[in-house]
């Protein structure tokens, strides 16, 4: 039997099945221990320091106790702390991105994904470099600056060279005042050598969802193809970091397995990265399995309702306070509104989950990976965020200024974000308003920029930000950043 060891490089030791079962048993035994719950909540709260805030975070066991408790009063307290943490470290900014599907060729047999090899009726499509260019122009015309590229796993059709070519093409397109300044990559687990190539191509975050941490379920859900190898998949982030990628993004596909098991596994993965590499995940995504061509989400027994989903999100926020949290357009406007108050720091907008979807008018597209619940345009998403008090940010400065990995985390912890991320958000929002926004979005946006500028603490920084914002408005000068 494998022994739990967060510092081990072996999947069965850092995502240790027995430790997860013991954690769930511990959580069940203590879920109504009010003194313990209060102590855990107290530990999770942000503490004010001379320069900003610090947070201790929670262990997977502590967070699992909170998740298991079903007292509505405790739940409200968790939500309150989650919002406080989000505001302490990420302020009221929400980073915006869009997925870009490059190819749906796939040799895997994932039971929840319509791109699985045996699906013979879904059209297979792979973008040519000319088509990548056209998609990027369409995305730039919407106002996007940050993409997450997505592809199925197929060594013949989508080899690493193809992905690298696409990244090069994406960065090379400068349409009108547009450009893509950060490309995050969501492709199948690969070798250290390939991760190094991705790093050299200038990617932002490497994202890989675990789908499920339960090995038995994992093997059942991935019956064929290279993704069947649980250990290779689970150890991918260590190889990515060995290949020089500082920022990695975790996630599970909620609905496949029992959510409490997944929650404990996810936090153990984060603790493992912290123990081995000195820095936790840059982001955590919380996707839920969706209806798709050939896929009925009801076929999986572990679907979770919106309230449980919200609580999972909030408990992750308490456990890993410095990690960005992502919610995609898999979720509806209503669910996204709620989750934005519970710790989410990044959302997608105007998304298409089909190959070539940004240059094809009518929906649904036949190559779509799953149903998009939030089908609003980017302009509508930007306006909605502002109407709800969030600053839509198109900032990509950190990674371009070398603030990745632990350097990003120290910025987060230093309390300097109001002097750095805040002006960057306002400057990139101004770019969006000038170049792409509708009249209604412009009106609310400029009001927000004026108001939020006053919140920059350092007078000198405020003055420079104002100057840059004026330059953006009165000229074609773009891409100012702190
Ligand atoms: N092929 C890559 C891999 O194997 O990791 C990643 C790309 S895939 C397009 C991105 C993610 O979509 C998967 O990791 C999975 O979690 C998610 N996904 C697949 N089918 C889905 C469905 N029916 N509903 C929601 N998300 C789904």
């Amino acid at each position: 039997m494998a022994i739990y060891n967060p510092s081990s490089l072996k999947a069965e030791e850092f995502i240790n099945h027995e430790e997860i079962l013991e954690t769930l048993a511990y959580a069940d035994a203590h879920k109504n221990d009010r003194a313990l719950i209060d102590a855990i909540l107290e530990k999770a709260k942000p503490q004010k320091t001379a320069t900003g805030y610090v947070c201790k975070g929670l262990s997977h066991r502590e967070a699992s106790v909170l998740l298991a408790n079903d007292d509505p009063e405790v739940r409200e307290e968790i939500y309150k702390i989650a919002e406080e943490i989000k505001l302490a470290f990420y302020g009221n900014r929400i980073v915006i991105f869009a997925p870009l599907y490059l190819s749906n060729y796939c040799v895997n047999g994932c039971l929840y994904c319509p791109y699985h090899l045996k699906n013979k009726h879904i059209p297979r499509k792979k973008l040519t470099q000319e088509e990548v260019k056209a998609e990027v122009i369409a995305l730039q015309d919407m106002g996007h600056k940050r993409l997450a590229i997505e592809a199925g796993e197929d060594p013949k059709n989508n080899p690493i060279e193809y992905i690298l070519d696409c990244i090069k093409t994406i960065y090379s397109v400068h349409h009108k005042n547009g450009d893509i300044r950060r490309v995050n990559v969501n492709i199948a687990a690969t070798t250290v050598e390939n991760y190094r190539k991705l790093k050299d191509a200038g990617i932002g975050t490497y994202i890989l969802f675990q789908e499920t941490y339960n090995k038995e379920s994992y093997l059942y859900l991935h019956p064929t193809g290279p993704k069947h190898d649980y250990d290779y998949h689970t150890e991918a982030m260590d190889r990515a970091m060995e290949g020089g990628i500082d920022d990695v993004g975790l996630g599970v596909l909620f609905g496949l397995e029992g959510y409490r098991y997944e929650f404990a596994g996810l936090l153990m993965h984060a603790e493992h990265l912290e123990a081995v590499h000195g820095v936790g995940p840059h982001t955590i995504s919380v996707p839920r399995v969706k209806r798709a061509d050939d896929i009925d989400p009801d076929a999986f027994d572990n679907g979770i309702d919106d309230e449980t989903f919200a609580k999972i999100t909030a408990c992750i926020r308490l456990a890993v306070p410095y990690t960005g949290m992502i919610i995609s357009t898999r979720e509806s406007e209503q669910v996204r509104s709620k989750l934005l108050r519970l710790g989410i720091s990044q959302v997608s907008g105007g998304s298409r989950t089909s190959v070539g979807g940004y240059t094809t008018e009518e929906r649904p597209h036949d190559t779509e990976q799953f149903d998009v619940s939030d089908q609003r345009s980017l302009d509508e998403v930007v306006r909605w965020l502002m109407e709800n008090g969030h600053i839509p940010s198109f900032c990509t400065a950190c990674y371009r200024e070398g603030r990745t990995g632990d350097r990003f985390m120290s910025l987060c912890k230093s309390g300097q974000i109001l002097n750095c991320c805040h002006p960057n958000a306002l400057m990139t929002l101004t770019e969006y308003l000038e170049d792409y926004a509708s009249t209604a979005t412009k009106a609310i946006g400029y009001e927000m920029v004026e108001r939020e500028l006053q919140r920059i603490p350092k007078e000198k920084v405020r003055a420079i930000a104002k100057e840059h914002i004026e330059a953006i408005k009165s000229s074609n000068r773009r891409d100012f950043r702190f």
Side-chain angles (χ1 to χ4, degrees):
M1 196 174 72
I3 306 282
Y4 175 49
N5 176 6
S7 304
S8 163
L9 292 175
K10 284 192 183 150
E12 61 177 353
E13 291 178 2
F14 66 83
I15 304 295
N16 182 252
H17 180 62
E18 284 70 31
E19 171 59 19
I20 298 183
L21 295 184
E22 278 176 34
T23 297
L24 300 188
Y26 174 83
D28 280 332
H30 292 88
K31 66 181 178 190
N32 295 319
D33 179 343
R34 196 54 210 239
L36 178 65
I37 299 260
D38 286 345
I40 295 173
L41 290 172
E42 201 49 43
K43 183 182 172 194
K45 284 181 187 162
Q47 305 295 325
K48 196 144 182 41
T49 65
T51 51
Y53 290 91
V54 286
C55 249
K56 292 195 185 82
L58 298 176
S59 69
H60 61 277
R61 284 204 176 203
E62 292 165 333
S64 293
V65 172
L66 291 188
L67 189 62
N69 171 285
D70 44 27
D71 179 345
E73 217 176 89
V74 171
R75 190 183 61 212
E76 287 314 309
E77 182 64 13
I78 293 171
Y79 287 2
K80 191 167 149 262
I81 298 172
E83 186 169 17
E84 279 170 18
I85 294 174
K86 157 69 173 58
L87 290 173
F89 299 114
Y90 284 87
N92 56 341
R93 294 176 307 282
I94 297 290
V95 166
I96 309 255
F97 76 99
L100 172 58
Y101 281 71
L102 301 177
S103 167
N104 67 352
Y105 282 94
C106 194
V107 296
N108 286 314
C110 315
L111 297 189
Y112 49 83
C113 180
Y115 293 167
H116 67 85
L117 182 66
K118 283 194 185 146
N119 187 350
K120 296 296 177 204
H121 60 270
I122 194 167
R124 299 289 167 171
K125 193 168 160 56
K126 166 186 168 181
L127 298 179
T128 64
Q129 295 311 309
E130 272 314 300
E131 287 168 332
V132 171
K133 219 182 217 173
E135 289 279 297
V136 171
I137 288 174
L139 283 155
Q140 289 184 4
D141 272 340
M142 289 160 73
H144 279 294
K145 299 281 187 272
R146 174 190 293 244
L147 300 183
I149 56 173
E150 312 273 341
E153 178 166 16
D154 185 330
K156 275 213 187 90
N157 286 296
N158 323 325
I160 192 73
E161 289 71 27
Y162 170 71
I163 304 291
L164 296 170
D165 282 350
C166 291
I167 295 170
K168 212 171 176 184
T169 302
I170 294 167
Y171 280 134
S172 75
V173 178
H174 304 285
H175 175 63
K176 296 184 181 164
N177 281 342
D179 48 7
I180 299 301
R181 299 170 184 164
R182 178 174 176 129
V183 177
N184 296 333
V185 174
N186 184 2
I187 61 165
T190 186
T191 60
V192 173
E193 196 192 343
N194 286 349
Y195 286 125
R196 201 162 283 129
K197 289 179 185 166
L198 288 170
K199 162 80 181 169
D200 293 343
I203 71 159
T205 312
Y206 171 65
I207 301 163
L208 181 70
F209 298 158
Q210 178 65 29
E211 321 299 6
T212 174
Y213 282 97
N214 185 313
K215 187 168 184 173
E216 202 183 321
S217 305
Y218 184 97
L219 296 178
Y220 165 75
L221 289 160
H222 304 94
T224 53
K227 197 167 171 176
H228 180 72
D229 188 337
Y230 174 87
D231 291 351
Y232 190 72
H233 188 83
T234 310
E235 292 161 8
M237 293 315 192
D238 296 295
R239 291 194 303 279
M241 286 189 154
E242 197 187 328
I245 296 175
D246 290 332
D247 292 342
V248 298
L250 304 181
V252 290
L253 189 54
F254 284 103
L256 301 179
E257 232 312 322
Y259 70 88
R260 291 177 57 208
Y261 191 103
E262 304 296 20
F263 178 81
L266 182 64
L267 294 184
M268 282 162 71
H269 202 170
E271 287 164 13
H272 160 71
L273 295 177
E274 182 90 47
V276 175
H277 306 281
V279 57
H282 187 66
T283 55
I284 288 182
S285 302
V286 284
R288 278 196 288 190
V289 69
K290 298 284 300 178
R291 188 167 302 283
D293 176 82
D294 207 33
I295 306 294
D296 175 5
D298 297 335
F300 304 100
D301 298 336
N302 295 294
I304 44 173
D305 59 51
D306 292 350
E307 195 61 62
T308 307
F309 188 48
K311 193 165 172 206
I312 293 169
T313 306
C315 287
I316 296 174
R317 180 69 302 149
L318 267 56
V320 284
Y322 303 113
T323 297
M325 285 186 71
I326 304 179
I327 189 89
S328 76
T329 52
R330 286 178 183 85
E331 300 298 336
S332 65
E333 171 182 347
Q334 192 198 4
V335 171
R336 297 203 323 155
S337 286
K338 177 156 190 162
L339 265 51
L340 280 169
R341 300 251 167 258
L342 301 178
I344 294 294
S345 55
Q346 283 194 35
V347 300
S348 47
S351 304
R352 295 279 184 269
T353 63
S354 45
V355 183
Y358 295 104
T359 47
T360 322
E361 275 302 309
E362 320 80 57
R363 291 194 60 256
H365 301 141
D366 52 7
T367 59
E368 212 151 65
Q369 196 198 11
F370 49 78
D371 278 355
V372 170
S373 296
D374 187 342
Q375 296 192 6
R376 293 172 296 169
S377 68
L378 179 61
D379 190 72
E380 287 170 314
V381 170
V382 166
R383 190 161 65 246
W384 160 76
L385 285 172
M386 295 191 295
E387 281 164 356
N388 287 286
H390 307 287
I391 306 174
S393 173
F394 293 86
C395 179
T396 53
C398 268
Y399 116 96
R400 294 159 77 224
E401 294 292 328
R403 293 189 295 259
T404 57
D406 55 354
R407 276 151 294 169
F408 167 77
M409 291 299 171
S410 24
L411 175 79
C412 218
K413 293 172 191 175
S414 71
Q416 281 309 303
I417 47 173
L418 265 180
N419 284 313
C420 187
C421 307
H422 202 70
N424 283 340
L426 297 178
M427 293 187 299
T428 54
L429 174 59
T430 305
E431 291 183 340
Y432 177 81
L433 297 173
E434 271 306 302
D435 294 336
Y436 309 104
S438 65
T439 315
T441 304
K442 266 193 177 128
I444 174 166
Y446 282 128
E447 213 177 279
M448 173 169 256
V449 170
E450 277 307 307
R451 196 173 57 243
E452 292 287 340
L453 265 172
Q454 309 314 319
R455 293 184 54 219
I456 300 172
K458 275 193 191 152
E459 208 175 302
K460 200 167 161 204
V461 175
R462 194 162 63 237
I464 297 171
K466 267 188 182 168
E467 218 173 89
H468 290 343
I469 283 173
E470 281 318 311
I472 294 166
K473 285 176 166 179
S474 60
S475 72
N476 278 337
R477 289 179 62 201
R478 298 288 178 267
D479 204 12
F480 296 100
R481 58 182 184 262
F482 287 95

